[in-house]
Coordinates of all heavy atoms in Angstrom, one line a residue:
N24 N 13.9 35.4 18.4 CA 14.1 36.0 17.2 C 12.9 35.9 16.3 O 12.5 34.9 15.9 CB 15.3 35.3 16.5 CG 15.9 36.0 15.3 OD1 15.4 37.0 15.0 ND2 16.8 35.4 14.7
I25 N 12.3 37.1 16.0 CA 11.0 37.1 15.2 C 11.4 37.3 13.8 O 12.1 38.3 13.5 CB 10.1 38.2 15.8 CG1 9.7 37.8 17.2 CG2 8.9 38.3 14.9 CD1 8.9 38.9 17.8
K26 N 10.8 36.5 12.9 CA 11.0 36.7 11.4 C 9.8 37.5 10.9 O 8.7 37.1 11.1 CB 11.0 35.4 10.7 CG 12.4 35.0 10.3 CD 12.3 33.8 9.5 CE 13.6 33.4 8.9 NZ 13.6 32.1 8.2
L27 N 10.0 38.6 10.3 CA 9.0 39.3 9.6 C 9.0 39.0 8.1 O 10.0 39.0 7.5 CB 9.2 40.9 9.8 CG 9.1 41.3 11.2 CD1 9.4 42.8 11.2 CD2 7.7 41.0 11.8
K28 N 7.8 38.7 7.6 CA 7.7 38.4 6.2 C 7.4 39.7 5.4 O 6.5 40.5 5.9 CB 6.5 37.4 5.9 CG 6.8 36.0 6.4 CD 5.7 35.1 6.0 CE 5.9 33.7 6.4 NZ 4.9 32.8 6.0
R29 N 8.0 39.8 4.3 CA 7.8 40.9 3.5 C 6.5 40.6 2.7 O 6.3 39.5 2.3 CB 8.9 41.1 2.5 CG 9.9 42.0 2.9 CD 10.9 42.5 1.9 NE 10.6 41.8 0.6 CZ 11.5 41.5 -0.3 NH1 12.8 41.7 0.0 NH2 11.3 40.9 -1.5
P30 N 5.6 41.6 2.5 CA 4.4 41.3 1.7 C 4.7 40.9 0.3 O 5.7 41.5 -0.2 CB 3.6 42.7 1.8 CG 4.2 43.4 2.9 CD 5.6 42.9 3.1
T31 N 4.0 40.0 -0.2 CA 4.2 39.6 -1.6 C 3.3 40.4 -2.6 O 2.1 40.6 -2.3 CB 3.9 38.1 -1.7 OG1 4.6 37.4 -0.7 CG2 4.2 37.5 -3.1
P32 N 3.9 40.9 -3.7 CA 3.0 41.7 -4.6 C 2.0 40.8 -5.3 O 2.3 39.6 -5.6 CB 4.0 42.2 -5.6 CG 5.3 41.5 -5.4 CD 5.3 40.8 -4.1
K33 N 0.8 41.3 -5.5 CA -0.2 40.7 -6.2 C -0.1 41.1 -7.7 O 0.7 42.0 -8.0 CB -1.6 41.2 -5.8 CG -2.0 40.6 -4.4 CD -3.4 41.0 -4.2 CE -3.9 40.5 -2.7 NZ -5.2 40.9 -2.5
M34 N -0.9 40.5 -8.5 CA -0.8 40.8 -10.0 C -1.2 42.3 -10.2 O -0.6 42.9 -11.1 CB -1.8 39.9 -10.8 CG -1.4 38.5 -10.8 SD -0.1 38.3 -12.0 CE -0.5 36.8 -12.7
D35 N -2.1 42.8 -9.4 CA -2.6 44.2 -9.7 C -1.7 45.2 -8.9 O -2.1 46.4 -8.9 CB -4.1 44.3 -9.2 CG -4.3 44.0 -7.8 OD1 -3.4 43.8 -7.1 OD2 -5.4 44.0 -7.4
G36 N -0.6 44.8 -8.4 CA 0.3 45.7 -7.7 C 0.1 45.9 -6.3 O 0.9 46.5 -5.5
Q37 N -1.0 45.3 -5.7 CA -1.3 45.4 -4.3 C -0.5 44.4 -3.6 O 0.2 43.5 -4.2 CB -2.8 45.2 -4.0 CG -3.7 46.2 -4.6 CD -5.2 45.9 -4.2 OE1 -5.5 44.9 -3.7 NE2 -6.0 46.8 -4.6
Q38 N -0.4 44.4 -2.3 CA 0.3 43.5 -1.5 C -0.6 42.5 -0.8 O -1.7 42.8 -0.4 CB 1.2 44.2 -0.4 CG 2.1 45.3 -1.0 CD 3.2 44.8 -1.7 OE1 3.8 43.8 -1.4 NE2 3.5 45.3 -2.9
I39 N -0.1 41.3 -0.7 CA -0.9 40.3 0.1 C -0.2 40.1 1.4 O 1.0 40.1 1.5 CB -1.1 38.9 -0.6 CG1 0.3 38.3 -1.0 CG2 -1.9 39.1 -1.8 CD1 0.1 36.8 -1.5
S40 N -0.9 39.8 2.5 CA -0.4 39.7 3.8 C 0.2 38.3 3.9 O 0.0 37.4 3.2 CB -1.4 40.0 4.8 OG -2.4 38.9 4.8
A41 N 1.0 38.1 5.0 CA 1.6 36.8 5.3 C 0.4 35.8 5.6 O 0.6 34.7 5.2 CB 2.5 36.9 6.5
Q42 N -0.6 36.3 6.2 CA -1.8 35.4 6.5 C -2.4 34.9 5.2 O -2.7 33.7 5.0 CB -2.8 36.1 7.3 CG -3.9 35.2 7.8 CD -4.9 35.9 8.8 OE1 -4.8 37.1 8.8 NE2 -5.8 35.1 9.4
E43 N -2.6 35.8 4.2 CA -3.2 35.5 2.9 C -2.2 34.5 2.2 O -2.7 33.5 1.6 CB -3.4 36.7 2.1 CG -4.5 37.6 2.6 CD -4.7 38.9 1.7 OE1 -3.6 39.5 1.5 OE2 -5.8 39.1 1.3
E44 N -0.9 34.7 2.3 CA 0.0 33.9 1.7 C 0.0 32.4 2.2 O 0.0 31.5 1.5 CB 1.4 34.5 1.8 CG 2.4 33.8 0.9 CD 3.8 34.5 1.0 OE1 3.9 35.6 1.4 OE2 4.7 33.8 0.5
D45 N -0.1 32.4 3.6 CA -0.2 31.1 4.2 C -1.5 30.3 3.8 O -1.4 29.1 3.6 CB -0.2 31.3 5.7 CG 1.2 31.7 6.3 OD1 2.2 31.5 5.5 OD2 1.3 32.2 7.4
M46 N -2.6 31.1 3.7 CA -3.9 30.5 3.3 C -3.8 30.0 1.9 O -4.2 28.9 1.6 CB -5.0 31.6 3.4 CG -6.4 31.0 3.1 SD -6.9 29.6 4.2 CE -7.2 30.4 5.7
M47 N -3.1 30.7 1.0 CA -2.9 30.3 -0.4 C -2.1 29.0 -0.4 O -2.4 28.1 -1.2 CB -2.3 31.4 -1.2 CG -3.2 32.5 -1.5 SD -2.5 34.0 -2.2 CE -1.5 33.4 -3.5
K48 N -1.1 28.8 0.4 CA -0.3 27.6 0.5 C -1.1 26.5 1.0 O -1.0 25.3 0.4 CB 0.9 27.8 1.4 CG 2.0 28.7 0.8 CD 3.1 28.9 1.8 CE 4.1 29.9 1.2 NZ 5.2 30.1 2.2
V49 N -2.0 26.7 2.0 CA -2.9 25.6 2.5 C -3.8 25.2 1.4 O -4.0 24.0 1.2 CB -3.6 26.1 3.7 CG1 -4.7 25.2 4.1 CG2 -2.7 26.3 4.9
I50 N -4.4 26.2 0.7 CA -5.4 25.8 -0.3 C -4.7 25.0 -1.5 O -5.2 24.0 -1.9 CB -6.0 27.1 -0.9 CG1 -7.0 27.7 0.1 CG2 -6.8 26.8 -2.2 CD1 -7.5 29.1 -0.2
A51 N -3.5 25.4 -1.9 CA -2.7 24.7 -2.9 C -2.4 23.3 -2.5 O -2.5 22.3 -3.3 CB -1.4 25.5 -3.2
K52 N -2.1 23.1 -1.2 CA -1.8 21.7 -0.7 C -3.1 20.9 -0.7 O -3.0 19.7 -1.1 CB -1.3 21.8 0.7 CG -0.9 20.5 1.4 CD -0.3 20.7 2.8 CE 0.1 19.4 3.4 NZ -0.9 18.7 4.1
L53 N -4.2 21.5 -0.3 CA -5.4 20.7 -0.3 C -5.9 20.4 -1.7 O -6.4 19.3 -2.0 CB -6.6 21.5 0.4 CG -6.5 21.7 1.9 CD1 -7.5 22.7 2.4 CD2 -6.5 20.4 2.6
E54 N -5.7 21.3 -2.7 CA -6.0 21.0 -4.1 C -5.1 19.8 -4.6 O -5.6 19.0 -5.3 CB -5.8 22.3 -4.9 CG -6.9 23.2 -4.7 CD -6.7 24.5 -5.4 OE1 -5.5 24.9 -5.9 OE2 -7.6 25.3 -5.5
A55 N -3.8 19.9 -4.3 CA -2.9 18.8 -4.7 C -3.4 17.5 -4.1 O -3.3 16.4 -4.8 CB -1.5 19.1 -4.3
E56 N -3.7 17.5 -2.8 CA -4.2 16.2 -2.2 C -5.5 15.7 -2.8 O -5.7 14.6 -3.0 CB -4.4 16.4 -0.7 CG -3.1 16.6 0.1 CD -3.4 17.0 1.5 OE1 -4.5 17.3 1.9 OE2 -2.4 17.1 2.3
D57 N -6.4 16.7 -3.2 CA -7.7 16.3 -3.8 C -7.4 15.7 -5.3 O -8.0 14.7 -5.6 CB -8.6 17.5 -3.9 CG -9.9 17.1 -4.3 OD1 -10.5 16.1 -3.8 OD2 -10.5 17.8 -5.2
R58 N -6.4 16.3 -6.0 CA -6.1 15.7 -7.3 C -5.5 14.3 -7.1 O -5.9 13.4 -8.0 CB -5.1 16.6 -8.0 CG -5.7 17.8 -8.6 CD -4.7 18.6 -9.6 NE -3.5 18.9 -8.9 CZ -3.2 20.0 -8.3 NH1 -4.2 20.9 -8.1 NH2 -2.1 20.3 -7.7
M59 N -4.7 14.1 -6.2 CA -4.1 12.8 -5.9 C -5.2 11.8 -5.5 O -5.3 10.6 -6.0 CB -3.0 12.8 -4.8 CG -2.4 11.5 -4.6 SD -1.4 10.9 -6.0 CE 0.0 12.0 -5.9
R60 N -6.2 12.2 -4.7 CA -7.2 11.4 -4.3 C -8.1 10.9 -5.5 O -8.5 9.8 -5.6 CB -8.1 12.0 -3.2 CG -9.3 11.2 -2.8 CD -10.3 12.1 -1.9 NE -10.7 13.3 -2.6 CZ -11.7 13.3 -3.6 NH1 -12.2 12.2 -4.0 NH2 -12.0 14.4 -4.2
M61 N -8.4 12.0 -6.3 CA -9.2 11.6 -7.5 C -8.5 10.7 -8.5 O -9.1 9.7 -9.0 CB -9.6 12.9 -8.3 CG -10.7 13.7 -7.7 SD -11.1 15.1 -8.7 CE -11.9 14.3 -10.1
Q62 N -7.2 10.9 -8.6 CA -6.4 10.0 -9.5 C -6.4 8.6 -9.0 O -6.6 7.6 -9.7 CB -5.0 10.5 -9.7 CG -4.2 9.6 -10.6 CD -2.8 10.2 -10.8 OE1 -2.4 11.2 -10.3 NE2 -2.0 9.5 -11.5
N63 N -6.2 8.4 -7.6 CA -6.3 7.1 -7.0 C -7.6 6.5 -7.2 O -7.7 5.3 -7.5 CB -5.9 7.2 -5.6 CG -4.4 7.5 -5.4 OD1 -3.6 7.2 -6.3 ND2 -4.0 8.0 -4.3
Q64 N -8.7 7.2 -7.0 CA -10.0 6.7 -7.2 C -10.2 6.2 -8.6 O -10.8 5.1 -8.8 CB -11.1 7.7 -6.8 CG -11.3 7.9 -5.4 CD -12.3 9.0 -5.0 OE1 -12.6 9.9 -5.9 NE2 -13.0 8.9 -3.9
L65 N -9.8 7.0 -9.6 CA -10.0 6.7 -10.9 C -9.3 5.4 -11.3 O -9.8 4.5 -11.9 CB -9.4 7.8 -11.8 CG -9.4 7.6 -13.3 CD1 -10.9 7.4 -13.9 CD2 -8.8 8.7 -14.0
V66 N -8.1 5.2 -10.8 CA -7.3 4.0 -11.1 C -8.0 2.8 -10.4 O -8.1 1.8 -11.1 CB -5.8 4.2 -10.6 CG1 -5.1 2.8 -10.5 CG2 -5.1 5.2 -11.4
E67 N -8.4 2.9 -9.2 CA -9.1 1.8 -8.5 C -10.3 1.4 -9.2 O -10.6 0.2 -9.4 CB -9.4 2.2 -7.0 CG -8.2 2.2 -6.2 CD -8.5 2.6 -4.7 OE1 -9.6 2.5 -4.3 OE2 -7.6 3.1 -4.0
L68 N -11.2 2.4 -9.6 CA -12.4 2.1 -10.2 C -12.3 1.5 -11.6 O -12.8 0.4 -11.9 CB -13.3 3.3 -10.2 CG -13.9 3.8 -8.9 CD1 -14.6 5.1 -9.1 CD2 -14.9 2.7 -8.3
C69 N -11.6 2.3 -12.4 CA -11.6 1.9 -13.8 C -10.6 0.8 -14.1 O -11.0 -0.2 -14.9 CB -11.2 3.1 -14.7 SG -12.4 4.5 -14.6
F70 N -9.4 0.8 -13.5 CA -8.5 -0.3 -13.8 C -9.0 -1.6 -13.3 O -8.9 -2.6 -14.0 CB -7.1 0.0 -13.3 CG -6.0 -0.8 -13.8 CD1 -5.5 -0.5 -15.1 CD2 -5.5 -1.9 -13.1 CE1 -4.5 -1.2 -15.6 CE2 -4.5 -2.6 -13.7 CZ -3.9 -2.3 -15.0
G71 N -9.6 -1.5 -12.1 CA -10.2 -2.8 -11.5 C -11.3 -3.4 -12.4 O -11.4 -4.6 -12.5
D72 N -12.1 -2.5 -13.0 CA -13.2 -2.9 -13.8 C -12.8 -3.3 -15.3 O -13.5 -4.2 -15.9 CB -14.3 -1.8 -13.9 CG -15.1 -1.7 -12.6 OD1 -15.0 -2.5 -11.8 OD2 -15.9 -0.7 -12.6
C73 N -11.8 -2.6 -15.8 CA -11.5 -2.8 -17.2 C -10.3 -3.7 -17.5 O -10.3 -4.3 -18.5 CB -11.2 -1.4 -17.8 SG -12.6 -0.3 -17.7
A74 N -9.3 -3.7 -16.7 CA -8.1 -4.5 -17.0 C -8.3 -6.0 -16.5 O -8.6 -6.2 -15.3 CB -6.9 -3.9 -16.3
G75 N -8.1 -6.9 -17.5 CA -8.3 -8.2 -17.1 C -7.1 -9.0 -16.7 O -6.7 -9.0 -15.5
D76 N -6.4 -9.5 -17.6 CA -5.2 -10.3 -17.4 C -4.0 -9.4 -17.1 O -3.5 -8.7 -18.0 CB -4.9 -11.2 -18.6 CG -3.8 -12.2 -18.4 OD1 -3.3 -12.2 -17.2 OD2 -3.6 -13.0 -19.3
M77 N -3.5 -9.4 -15.9 CA -2.4 -8.6 -15.5 C -1.0 -9.2 -16.0 O 0.0 -8.5 -15.8 CB -2.3 -8.4 -14.0 CG -3.5 -7.6 -13.5 SD -3.7 -6.0 -14.2 CE -2.3 -5.2 -13.5
R78 N -1.0 -10.3 -16.6 CA 0.3 -10.9 -17.1 C 0.7 -10.3 -18.4 O 1.8 -10.5 -18.8 CB 0.1 -12.4 -17.1 CG -0.1 -13.0 -15.7 CD -0.3 -14.5 -15.9 NE -1.7 -14.6 -16.4 CZ -2.3 -15.8 -16.6 NH1 -1.7 -16.9 -16.3 NH2 -3.6 -15.8 -17.0
K79 N -0.3 -9.7 -19.1 CA 0.1 -9.1 -20.4 C 0.8 -7.8 -20.2 O 0.7 -7.2 -19.2 CB -1.2 -8.8 -21.2 CG -1.9 -10.1 -21.6 CD -3.2 -9.7 -22.4 CE -3.9 -10.9 -22.7 NZ -5.2 -10.6 -23.3
G80 N 1.7 -7.4 -21.1 CA 2.5 -6.3 -21.1 C 1.7 -5.0 -21.4 O 2.2 -3.9 -21.0
S81 N 0.6 -5.1 -22.0 CA -0.2 -3.9 -22.3 C -1.7 -4.2 -22.3 O -2.1 -5.4 -22.3 CB 0.2 -3.4 -23.7 OG 0.0 -4.4 -24.7
L82 N -2.5 -3.1 -22.4 CA -3.9 -3.3 -22.4 C -4.4 -3.7 -23.8 O -3.8 -3.3 -24.8 CB -4.6 -2.0 -22.0 CG -4.4 -1.5 -20.6 CD1 -5.0 -0.1 -20.4 CD2 -4.9 -2.5 -19.5
T83 N -5.5 -4.5 -23.8 CA -6.1 -4.8 -25.1 C -6.9 -3.6 -25.6 O -7.2 -2.8 -24.8 CB -7.0 -6.1 -25.0 OG1 -8.1 -5.7 -24.2 CG2 -6.3 -7.3 -24.4
P84 N -7.2 -3.6 -26.9 CA -8.0 -2.5 -27.4 C -9.4 -2.4 -26.7 O -9.8 -1.3 -26.4 CB -8.3 -2.9 -28.9 CG -7.1 -3.6 -29.2 CD -6.7 -4.5 -28.0
A85 N -10.0 -3.6 -26.3 CA -11.2 -3.5 -25.5 C -11.0 -2.9 -24.1 O -11.9 -2.1 -23.7 CB -11.8 -4.9 -25.4
E86 N -9.9 -3.2 -23.5 CA -9.6 -2.7 -22.2 C -9.3 -1.2 -22.3 O -9.8 -0.4 -21.4 CB -8.3 -3.4 -21.6 CG -8.6 -4.8 -21.1 CD -7.4 -5.5 -20.8 OE1 -6.3 -5.3 -21.3 OE2 -7.5 -6.5 -20.0
V87 N -8.7 -0.7 -23.3 CA -8.4 0.7 -23.5 C -9.8 1.5 -23.7 O -9.9 2.5 -23.1 CB -7.5 0.9 -24.7 CG1 -7.4 2.5 -25.1 CG2 -6.0 0.4 -24.4
K88 N -10.6 0.9 -24.5 CA -11.9 1.5 -24.7 C -12.7 1.6 -23.4 O -13.3 2.6 -23.1 CB -12.7 0.7 -25.8 CG -14.0 1.3 -26.1 CD -14.7 0.5 -27.2 CE -16.1 1.0 -27.5 NZ -16.7 0.3 -28.6
C89 N -12.7 0.5 -22.6 CA -13.3 0.5 -21.3 C -12.7 1.6 -20.4 O -13.4 2.3 -19.8 CB -13.2 -0.9 -20.7 SG -13.9 -1.0 -19.0
M90 N -11.4 1.7 -20.4 CA -10.7 2.7 -19.5 C -11.2 4.1 -19.9 O -11.4 4.9 -19.1 CB -9.2 2.6 -19.6 CG -8.7 1.3 -19.0 SD -8.7 1.3 -17.2 CE -7.4 2.5 -16.8
N91 N -11.1 4.4 -21.2 CA -11.5 5.7 -21.7 C -12.9 6.0 -21.3 O -13.3 7.1 -20.9 CB -11.4 5.8 -23.2 CG -9.9 5.8 -23.6 OD1 -9.0 6.2 -22.8 ND2 -9.6 5.4 -24.8
F92 N -13.8 5.1 -21.5 CA -15.3 5.3 -21.2 C -15.4 5.5 -19.7 O -16.1 6.4 -19.2 CB -16.1 4.1 -21.6 CG -17.5 4.2 -21.4 CD1 -18.3 5.1 -22.1 CD2 -18.2 3.4 -20.4 CE1 -19.7 5.2 -21.8 CE2 -19.5 3.6 -20.1 CZ -20.3 4.5 -20.8
C93 N -14.8 4.7 -18.9 CA -14.9 4.8 -17.4 C -14.3 6.1 -17.0 O -14.9 6.8 -16.1 CB -14.1 3.6 -16.8 SG -14.2 3.6 -15.0
G94 N -13.2 6.5 -17.5 CA -12.5 7.8 -17.1 C -13.5 8.9 -17.4 O -13.6 9.9 -16.6
D95 N -14.0 8.9 -18.6 CA -14.9 10.0 -19.0 C -16.1 10.1 -18.1 O -16.5 11.2 -17.6 CB -15.5 9.8 -20.5 CG -14.4 10.0 -21.5 OD1 -13.3 10.6 -21.2 OD2 -14.6 9.6 -22.6
K96 N -16.7 8.9 -17.7 CA -17.9 8.9 -16.7 C -17.4 9.4 -15.4 O -18.2 10.2 -14.8 CB -18.4 7.5 -16.7 CG -19.3 7.1 -17.8 CD -19.8 5.7 -17.6 CE -20.4 5.3 -16.3 NZ -21.0 4.0 -16.2
F97 N -16.3 9.0 -15.0 CA -15.7 9.5 -13.7 C -15.6 10.9 -13.5 O -16.1 11.6 -12.6 CB -14.4 8.7 -13.4 CG -13.8 9.1 -12.1 CD1 -14.1 8.4 -11.0 CD2 -12.8 10.1 -12.0 CE1 -13.6 8.7 -9.7 CE2 -12.2 10.4 -10.8 CZ -12.6 9.7 -9.7
F98 N -15.0 11.5 -14.6 CA -14.8 13.0 -14.6 C -16.1 13.7 -14.8 O -16.3 14.8 -14.1 CB -13.7 13.4 -15.6 CG -12.3 13.0 -15.2 CD1 -11.6 12.1 -15.8 CD2 -11.8 13.6 -14.0 CE1 -10.3 11.8 -15.5 CE2 -10.5 13.3 -13.6 CZ -9.8 12.4 -14.3
L99 N -17.0 13.2 -15.6 CA -18.3 13.9 -15.7 C -19.1 13.9 -14.4 O -19.6 14.9 -14.0 CB -19.1 13.2 -16.8 CG -20.5 13.7 -17.1 CD1 -20.4 15.2 -17.6 CD2 -21.2 12.9 -18.1
F100 N -19.1 12.7 -13.8 CA -19.8 12.6 -12.4 C -19.2 13.6 -11.5 O -19.9 14.3 -10.8 CB -19.6 11.2 -11.9 CG -20.1 11.0 -10.5 CD1 -21.5 11.0 -10.3 CD2 -19.3 11.0 -9.5 CE1 -22.0 10.8 -9.0 CE2 -19.8 10.8 -8.2 CZ -21.1 10.7 -8.0
N101 N -17.8 13.6 -11.3 CA -17.2 14.5 -10.4 C -17.4 16.0 -10.7 O -17.6 16.8 -9.8 CB -15.7 14.2 -10.3 CG -15.4 13.1 -9.4 OD1 -15.6 13.2 -8.2 ND2 -14.9 12.0 -9.9
S102 N -17.5 16.3 -12.0 CA -17.8 17.6 -12.4 C -19.2 18.1 -12.0 O -19.5 19.2 -11.5 CB -17.6 17.8 -13.9 OG -18.0 19.0 -14.4
K103 N -20.2 17.1 -12.2 CA -21.6 17.4 -11.8 C -21.7 17.5 -10.3 O -22.5 18.4 -9.8 CB -22.5 16.3 -12.4 CG -22.7 16.5 -13.9 CD -23.7 15.5 -14.4 CE -23.9 15.6 -15.9 NZ -25.0 14.9 -16.4
V104 N -21.1 16.7 -9.6 CA -21.1 16.8 -8.1 C -20.5 18.1 -7.7 O -21.1 18.8 -6.9 CB -20.4 15.6 -7.5 CG1 -20.2 15.9 -6.0 CG2 -21.1 14.3 -7.7
G105 N -19.4 18.5 -8.3 CA -18.8 19.8 -7.9 C -19.7 20.9 -8.2 O -19.7 21.9 -7.4
Q106 N -20.3 20.9 -9.4 CA -21.2 22.1 -9.8 C -22.4 22.1 -8.9 O -22.8 23.2 -8.4 CB -21.7 21.8 -11.2 CG -22.5 23.0 -11.7 CD -21.8 24.3 -11.7 OE1 -20.7 24.4 -12.2 NE2 -22.3 25.4 -11.1
T107 N -22.9 20.9 -8.5 CA -24.1 20.9 -7.5 C -23.7 21.5 -6.2 O -24.4 22.3 -5.6 CB -24.6 19.5 -7.4 OG1 -25.0 19.0 -8.6 CG2 -25.8 19.4 -6.4
Y108 N -22.5 21.1 -5.7 CA -22.0 21.6 -4.5 C -21.8 23.2 -4.5 O -22.2 23.8 -3.6 CB -20.6 20.9 -4.1 CG -20.0 21.4 -2.8 CD1 -20.6 21.0 -1.6 CD2 -18.9 22.2 -2.8 CE1 -20.0 21.4 -0.4 CE2 -18.3 22.6 -1.6 CZ -18.9 22.2 -0.4 OH -18.3 22.6 0.7
Q109 N -21.2 23.7 -5.6 CA -21.1 25.1 -5.8 C -22.5 25.8 -5.8 O -22.6 26.9 -5.2 CB -20.3 25.5 -7.0 CG -18.8 25.1 -7.0 CD -18.1 25.4 -8.3 OE1 -18.7 25.7 -9.3 NE2 -16.8 25.5 -8.2
D110 N -23.4 25.2 -6.5 CA -24.7 25.8 -6.5 C -25.4 25.9 -5.1 O -25.9 26.9 -4.7 CB -25.7 25.0 -7.5 CG -25.2 25.2 -8.9 OD1 -24.5 26.0 -9.2 OD2 -25.7 24.3 -9.7
K111 N -25.2 24.8 -4.3 CA -25.7 24.8 -3.0 C -25.1 25.8 -2.1 O -25.7 26.4 -1.3 CB -25.6 23.4 -2.4 CG -26.4 22.3 -3.1 CD -27.9 22.5 -2.9 CE -28.7 21.4 -3.6 NZ -30.1 21.6 -3.6
Q112 N -23.8 26.0 -2.3 CA -23.0 26.9 -1.5 C -23.5 28.3 -1.8 O -23.7 29.1 -0.9 CB -21.5 26.9 -1.8 CG -20.8 25.8 -1.0 CD -19.3 25.9 -1.2 OE1 -18.8 26.0 -2.3 NE2 -18.6 25.8 -0.1
A113 N -23.7 28.6 -3.1 CA -24.2 29.9 -3.5 C -25.6 30.2 -2.9 O -25.9 31.3 -2.4 CB -24.2 30.1 -5.0
D114 N -26.5 29.2 -3.0 CA -27.8 29.3 -2.4 C -27.8 29.6 -1.0 O -28.5 30.5 -0.4 CB -28.7 28.0 -2.7 CG -29.0 27.8 -4.1 OD1 -29.0 28.8 -4.9 OD2 -29.5 26.7 -4.5
F115 N -26.9 28.9 -0.2 CA -26.8 29.0 1.2 C -26.2 30.4 1.5 O -26.7 31.1 2.4 CB -25.8 28.0 1.7 CG -25.6 28.1 3.2 CD1 -26.5 27.6 4.1 CD2 -24.4 28.7 3.7 CE1 -26.3 27.7 5.5 CE2 -24.1 28.8 5.1 CZ -25.1 28.3 6.0
A116 N -25.3 30.9 0.7 CA -24.7 32.3 0.9 C -25.7 33.4 0.8 O -25.8 34.3 1.5 CB -23.5 32.5 0.0
R117 N -26.6 33.1 -0.3 CA -27.7 34.1 -0.6 C -28.7 34.1 0.5 O -29.2 35.2 0.9 CB -28.3 33.8 -2.0 CG -27.6 34.3 -3.1 CD -28.5 34.3 -4.4 NE -28.8 32.9 -4.7 CZ -28.0 32.1 -5.5 NH1 -26.9 32.5 -5.9 NH2 -28.4 30.9 -5.7
T118 N -29.0 33.0 1.0 CA -30.1 33.0 2.1 C -29.6 33.4 3.4 O -30.4 33.7 4.3 CB -30.7 31.6 2.2 OG1 -29.8 30.6 2.4 CG2 -31.4 31.2 0.9
N119 N -28.3 33.4 3.6 CA -27.7 33.6 5.0 C -27.0 35.0 5.0 O -26.2 35.2 5.9 CB -26.8 32.5 5.5 CG -27.6 31.3 5.7 OD1 -28.5 31.3 6.5 ND2 -27.3 30.2 5.0
M120 N -27.2 35.8 4.0 CA -26.6 37.2 4.0 C -27.3 38.1 4.9 O -28.4 38.3 5.1 CB -26.3 37.6 2.6 CG -25.3 36.9 1.9 SD -25.1 37.6 0.3 CE -23.3 37.7 0.3

């Protein structure tokens, strides 16, 4: 029994194929996994460096300041790495066309 997928409409009225739809699902899954990985890294790095006494019910003002600073640095670093990677990919694509 073969199941045929109906093409899904795109925003511009065109149709996307089942293969394109499957690829979009894979990309969405990878993006979700990447967001989870980044969140886990952020918690491990910043919370480990900034949170002192785990017996308290909340963070101290100094710990909150440290977490904010650490988080900002983490996202800035990841943004710069991502931009560098995109630039390198673009350079590679230009030289290999």
Side-chain angles (χ1 to χ4, degrees):
N24 192 2
I25 298 175
K26 251 187 175 177
L27 296 176
K28 288 186 179 180
R29 271 192 354 216
T31 306
K33 287 184 182 179
M34 292 284 223
D35 60 6
Q37 295 179 357
Q38 304 292 316
I39 61 172
S40 69
Q42 186 177 12
E43 288 174 311
E44 191 174 347
D45 289 343
M46 183 59 73
M47 288 169 46
K48 288 178 184 177
V49 168
I50 290 170
K52 182 178 185 270
L53 290 172
E54 288 174 343
E56 289 172 355
D57 192 47
R58 282 191 304 274
M59 184 64 74
R60 180 192 53 79
M61 281 186 69
Q62 182 178 357
N63 288 339
Q64 284 179 332
L65 176 64
V66 169
E67 286 177 23
L68 289 170
C69 296
F70 197 78
D72 285 349
C73 297
D76 187 1
M77 296 301 296
R78 293 175 288 185
K79 294 180 183 175
S81 61
L82 297 173
T83 66
E86 290 170 331
V87 170
K88 184 177 178 180
C89 178
M90 291 289 288
N91 289 335
F92 181 72
C93 182
D95 288 346
K96 279 179 47 178
F97 180 84
F98 286 114
L99 179 63
F100 173 78
N101 277 295
S102 176
K103 287 185 179 191
V104 168
Q106 185 61 50
T107 301
Y108 181 71
Q109 287 179 346
D110 293 346
K111 296 292 182 187
Q112 279 186 313
D114 291 344
F115 181 78
R117 277 192 296 274
T118 59
N119 292 304
M120 289 183 132

